[in-house]
Amino acid sequence: MTAEQILDLAGAVVLALGCLFCLAAAVGLVRFPDVLTRMHGATKPQVFGLILVLTGVTLSLRDGRVFAFLSLAVLMQVLTAPVSGHLVSRTAHRNGDWDAEHAVVDDLARDIAAEVAISVPPPEPEPEDRG
């Protein structure tokens, strides 16, 4: 086998593995019971699957411009997926749209309680009637 054939084969294998991870993310969105587990299933395997797919495309095409463009796409995905997942989970927690019964740890409840205590000003004393 030539080097090009080996890179094509490696690209196809990595591309197929990436597709499997993306499929696992899609199945997780449908099958998981609550928002937090769906968010986990949507971000972790999807990002890894996308990285594998783009790596497979890069191995198959072997062009510097394609590598640069796909590296930018991977960078943006790695930067934005955790942030969006974090915001979705915080919103679900604040709205009560998550499965609190099965949670082992709930660190966010303590943080939210402290935030509410800080943001709510203490009541002002009523003026005394001197009449």
Side-chain angles (χ1 to χ4, degrees):
M1 289 181 76
T2 66
E4 286 188 6
Q5 290 174 332
I6 291 173
L7 285 175
D8 285 339
L9 182 62
V13 168
V14 172
L15 186 67
L17 284 173
C19 289
L20 287 175
F21 272 93
C22 290
L23 177 65
V27 169
L29 282 174
V30 174
R31 298 285 302 186
F32 286 149
D34 67 334
V35 174
L36 296 183
T37 53
R38 285 181 182 171
M39 180 264 321
H40 178 78
T43 55
K44 304 233 186 256
Q46 185 270 332
V47 170
F48 188 62
L50 179 70
I51 290 171
L52 289 177
V53 165
L54 297 182
T55 302
V57 170
T58 302
L59 286 173
S60 296
L61 295 179
R62 295 182 290 282
D63 183 14
R65 293 176 295 180
V66 171
F67 173 74
F69 181 72
L70 296 181
S71 296
L72 180 64
V74 167
L75 178 67
M76 295 307 292
Q77 186 70 26
V78 168
L79 289 176
T80 58
V83 173
S84 63
H86 179 77
L87 291 175
V88 167
S89 65
R90 283 185 67 95
T91 302
H93 189 281
R94 286 179 183 261
N95 291 338
D97 295 334
W98 65 294
D99 188 11
E101 288 180 17
H102 296 99
V104 177
V105 177
D106 185 9
D107 289 333
L108 190 56
R110 182 184 63 230
D111 295 341
I112 290 174
E115 182 180 306
V116 168
I118 291 171
S119 66
V120 175
E124 294 185 20
E126 294 185 23
E128 293 179 18
D129 189 22
R130 296 187 178 208

